[in-house]
Structures are given as structure tokens and as C-alpha cells.
Amino acid sequence: MIFYVRSYTPFKTIADVKNSKEPAKCGSTGTVSTDFILARMLEDTLPPLKINTVLGYPGGSEIDIAVEKGEVICRGMTASPFFGREPFLSWQKKNFVRVLLYTGKKRDERLPDTPTLAEIFDKEKVPENSRRVAQVILAAESFGRPIIAGPGTNPEHLKMLRHAFDQSMKDPELLAETQKQKMDVDPESGENLEKLATQILQQPPEVLARVKKILSN
């Protein structure tokens, strides 16, 4: 995910948002949307950061229009559409918005000056349990759209399925089609996703309580 603000604002870094007397005003469709949950997670892990979330927009396109009108100045969203469709392509050419963070494991080459959330946490000396909260909240983005084998799948069968998936992700025709459609393809192995699932499920009670509070908002 990314978090962007309009470029005319004084917010040049997340630290600026954190130290601002006035909360940044972001648009969101509702309390179960990824942008709303990202905002609450940032508030939890980077206090005293505050974000004023304006709810009720029918969809992302309406939030984009609100940003252009100045009704709101920021939004959290998945990275793929930001690099693949309008109005974001034009916004980037005009430097209309500034991306303040990226939640991927490493910096995106298309946003070389945008720090990852992990880098921000390091700079802000965020404690381990707060990092765990962020890891759990953002786990869905890490998992993406996994293909899940049923319970009790034979290990050899599972191995074959994973091998087939890995090979398909290297297929030249498939990769050419994804580039044509401007789709981000960042496959992750089944083994790594299995390790991630184990990590997510093994959290201290304090972390789980904070995650539940964020999601219950």
C-alpha cells in the first residue's frame, strides 16, 4: 500500500503528519476499507500522529475527485492502481501528489525517494510490539490473492502444485500479457506464505488486543 498527500500541503514526510497540530484530512469509503484501517494503524503505531478520515465516499474514484477538488488531501490505497491507471498517471507527471510511505518490504523502483514503512519505523524507533501490530494489519497485502490447497492435501501433491505455480509465473506469454495490461506481478512462494501465516498467528496478547481495537473502529 501507499499513502499519498497533495503536493501543495506542508506534509513532505510522515514525520510532518505526526508533528502537525492539524490532522491530515483523508477520504475513505467506510470503516472496513483498507484506507481507513491503514490510517488507524498509523495512529496506533506512530503516536501522536492523527488522521481525520472523511467517510462515506461511494468508491475510490469519488475520493480521487475529492482530492482534486481539495475536499480531502490524502488517501491510503493499494499501489497497483496508482501505477496503472488515471488519474494517478497524470498526477505523477504533474507532481500533483506526494507519496509519503510504501508498505512493501523494499522500496519500489518507481518511488525511489519514498521510504518503506519499516524504514520509517526504524527512524522513529518504533517498538517491536507496534511493528507486530503493523505486520498483522498489513498481512492481507503480503498474502495478496493466494491459491489455497484444501486441508489435508497430500505433501507430494502440494509440492507439485507449488512447482506448477512457480513455473507459470515465469511463462513469457503470461508475463507479456500482464505488462500489456499494466498489472503488477510480484509472486511469492507457497513456502514463504506458509512461514508468514505462522508468524501472523503467533502474536502476544497485547498485539492481538491492539489489532482487535483497530479493526473494531
Side-chain angles (χ1 to χ4, degrees):
M1 294 188 68
I2 63 166
F3 180 84
Y4 74 73
V5 298
R6 281 190 58 162
S7 295
Y8 78 86
T9 67
F11 305 122
K12 292 180 171 56
T13 66
I14 281 294
D16 293 333
V17 180
K18 177 181 177 180
N19 298 324
S20 175
K21 294 181 180 179
E22 293 293 329
K25 184 187 291 186
C26 296
S28 178
T29 56
T31 58
V32 298
S33 62
T34 54
D35 42 25
F36 180 87
I37 293 172
L38 177 64
R40 303 291 78 78
M41 183 274 289
L42 292 175
E43 290 179 337
D44 180 274
T45 58
L46 292 168
L49 182 148
K50 290 292 181 183
I51 294 174
N52 179 6
T53 303
V54 180
L55 300 172
Y57 288 100
S61 296
E62 287 76 13
I63 300 175
D64 301 336
I65 293 173
V67 171
E68 291 185 329
K69 291 181 177 179
E71 293 177 3
V72 294
I73 63 167
C74 52
R75 180 187 176 192
M77 60 180 292
T78 52
S80 294
F82 186 79
F83 296 115
R85 67 172 176 82
E86 295 291 352
F88 310 113
L89 298 177
S90 296
W91 286 6
Q92 291 172 67
K93 292 178 181 178
K94 299 175 182 177
N95 293 319
F96 181 72
V97 296
R98 180 184 299 116
V99 181
L100 300 189
L101 70 80
Y102 177 66
T103 65
K105 294 179 182 178
K106 59 183 180 180
R107 293 196 183 196
D108 192 297
E109 60 184 12
R110 296 164 295 188
L111 296 170
D113 298 323
T114 299
T116 65
L117 185 61
E119 290 175 317
I120 293 171
F121 282 172
D122 288 343
K123 186 174 182 179
E124 296 290 332
K125 296 180 173 57
V126 173
E128 177 61 25
N129 272 4
S130 292
R131 295 170 186 255
R132 286 174 174 264
V133 169
Q135 182 188 36
V136 175
I137 291 293
L138 297 172
E141 301 302 323
S142 299
F143 281 110
R145 294 174 174 81
I147 302 172
I148 301 175
T153 301
N154 182 284
E156 285 302 314
H157 188 193
L158 181 61
K159 184 178 180 180
M160 291 171 59
L161 290 172
R162 287 176 171 174
H163 176 73
F165 174 80
D166 292 340
Q167 291 301 112
S168 68
M169 290 297 99
K170 300 174 184 177
D171 182 84
E173 291 186 13
L174 176 61
L175 294 176
E177 183 63 23
T178 59
Q179 292 175 359
K180 180 181 177 181
Q181 299 294 332
K182 295 183 178 181
M183 297 172 61
D184 282 338
V185 178
D186 186 19
E188 187 63 270
S189 71
E191 290 84 357
N192 286 342
L193 290 183
E194 188 173 332
K195 292 177 182 177
L196 177 61
T198 301
Q199 287 180 333
I200 296 302
L201 292 172
Q202 295 177 346
Q203 300 295 340
E206 178 202 338
V207 171
L208 297 178
R210 288 169 63 182
V211 170
K212 288 178 181 179
K213 183 178 179 181
I214 292 171
L215 297 179
S216 67
N217 285 332

